[in-house]
Amino acid sequence: MLFTEFVTIGTAGASVDGREIKEQWLVDAAEQYDPEIYTATINSEHETWAGSLGTVHRLRLGKNKQNKTTL
């Protein structure tokens, strides 16, 4: 099984389309994610016809250069 390095999938703050990603949402996701209950899949641009590119095994929080919380 191939595992990749962690990649950032979300950053707290304003999104490009004007919505806000709250830091607590990222904290909750990292703390509560359990692939035994619901396994997130990685899809290309939300297209299901291409098939799954893999599954998410673990989430972790971090900080970017602007000290914003990342997931």
Side-chain angles (χ1 to χ4, degrees):
M1 184 178 324
L2 174 67
F3 286 90
T4 65
E5 296 294 320
F6 281 95
V7 295
T8 299
I9 60 170
T11 302
S15 66
V16 296
D17 63 2
R19 295 180 286 172
E20 181 183 357
I21 299 174
K22 298 192 182 291
E23 180 177 18
Q24 189 60 49
W25 296 347
L26 302 179
V27 171
D28 292 346
E31 290 176 352
Q32 297 176 23
Y33 182 69
D34 183 352
E36 295 292 322
I37 295 172
Y38 178 84
T39 303
T41 59
I42 304 164
N43 296 318
S44 175
E45 297 294 326
H46 303 285
E47 298 290 342
T48 56
W49 60 266
S52 173
L53 300 175
T55 58
V56 176
H57 292 272
R58 196 162 60 118
L59 298 177
R60 75 173 181 189
L61 296 172
K63 294 284 186 179
N64 66 11
K65 292 179 182 176
Q66 293 79 30
N67 203 36
K68 292 184 179 182
T69 299
T70 60
L71 179 68

